[in-house]
Amino acid sequence: MTNNKYPFINIPLPYRYNALEPWIDTKTMMLHHDAHLQTYIDNLNALLESNPDLQQFTLTQLISIAPSLDEPLSTHLINNAGGVFNHRFFFNTISPNCNQVSCNELIMAITKQYGSLDDFKALFKAEALSVFGSGYTWLVKTIDGNLDIVTTPNQNTPDFSQNILILNLDVWEHAYYLKNYNKRAEYFENWWHVINWNAASHYYKYQ
Ligand code: MN
């Protein structure tokens, strides 16, 4: 991921806004990237502009040190650095291509641990539906080498020192309300069609 330090820019999507139709609609993609993510970029830049001693840190370093800072800076940094990182991660693990479940190392690990991809899907979906309010569902590899499905509230991010991040699903209503209204389960099923399994497998293997 490029542009990992201040000043942050909103990296264009690696596909067209309409590329994920009919699963994720064009207007949602435009608003999600150009309005929602842009706001996190702008807020993070403004925060770092007024805290120049933090400008040396990368995006993931900012997220890691944020909990140790004084309030309200700590919360503002968790929300906005997290908002940038989590959205970039989400947009990079969906794609109009690479959606085929091929026999890669991640799929083999999922099958080994969860029994089948369908069993994994059911568990991930249940976790996604369990998030109260706004947040994310993540597939991670923990330090013992096992996979785990975890959720984070708001724009929080799983602890980088304990987890390798593989896949995330944004379950904020802004990610699906225009198309799916309040039906998060329907959004989940649509998202499942556009998962970039190549990218996810890459994170599983190399990070
Ligand atoms: Mn979002």
Side-chain angles (χ1 to χ4, degrees):
M1 199 179 284
T2 54
N3 180 236
N4 65 354
K5 274 189 183 174
Y6 176 87
F8 290 94
I9 58 158
N10 199 358
I11 301 168
L13 292 172
Y15 39 77
R16 292 172 180 270
Y17 296 109
N18 65 0
L20 304 180
E21 294 272 8
W23 310 114
I24 302 180
D25 62 289
T26 306
K27 195 167 185 184
T28 294
M29 290 304 296
M30 291 181 76
L31 285 169
H32 203 173
H33 180 271
D34 295 2
H36 290 280
L37 174 51
Q38 185 68 53
T39 299
Y40 289 110
I41 298 263
D42 294 343
N43 288 345
L44 179 57
N45 283 334
L47 197 59
L48 296 177
E49 196 175 345
S50 51
N51 293 275
D53 50 324
L54 294 177
Q55 292 175 7
Q56 61 181 305
F57 296 110
T58 66
L59 185 58
T60 51
Q61 286 171 337
L62 289 169
I63 291 170
S64 297
I65 64 173
S68 63
L69 302 176
D70 292 336
E71 293 293 358
L73 179 59
S74 175
T75 296
H76 289 160
L77 196 56
I78 289 169
N79 289 344
N80 292 296
V84 173
F85 178 88
N86 296 345
H87 279 103
R88 285 178 170 183
F89 199 89
F90 173 69
F91 290 131
N92 284 331
T93 48
I94 51 179
S95 167
N97 307 308
C98 310
N99 316 124
Q100 296 300 316
V101 177
S102 55
C103 191
N104 65 40
E105 290 182 36
L106 174 59
I107 299 296
M108 283 163 56
I110 287 174
T111 305
K112 186 177 172 197
Q113 185 168 332
Y114 296 99
S116 72
L117 191 61
D118 280 347
D119 287 317
F120 164 75
K121 181 185 173 187
L123 285 173
F124 198 102
K125 183 176 183 176
E127 287 293 326
L129 296 182
S130 79
V131 175
F132 182 76
S134 298
Y136 289 78
T137 310
W138 302 78
L139 174 63
V140 301
K141 181 163 72 174
T142 56
I143 45 178
D144 61 11
N146 289 319
L147 297 171
D148 198 10
I149 302 166
V150 300
T151 65
T152 52
N154 305 313
Q155 293 296 353
N156 289 27
T157 305
D159 185 344
F160 295 126
S161 70
Q162 303 294 314
N163 301 280
I164 289 166
L165 310 183
I166 300 170
L167 198 59
N168 74 348
L169 175 62
D170 184 342
V171 295
W172 285 60
E173 276 190 346
H174 67 233
Y176 60 91
Y177 200 85
L178 286 181
K179 176 177 167 61
N180 306 111
Y181 305 110
N182 59 334
K183 297 189 281 283
R184 190 186 286 176
E186 188 179 288
Y187 163 65
F188 170 86
E189 293 291 339
N190 288 337
W191 168 75
W192 189 261
H193 288 275
V194 296
I195 294 174
N196 184 337
W197 288 106
N198 284 6
S201 188
H202 184 85
Y203 289 133
Y204 173 74
K205 277 193 292 189
Y206 297 116
Q207 300 230 345

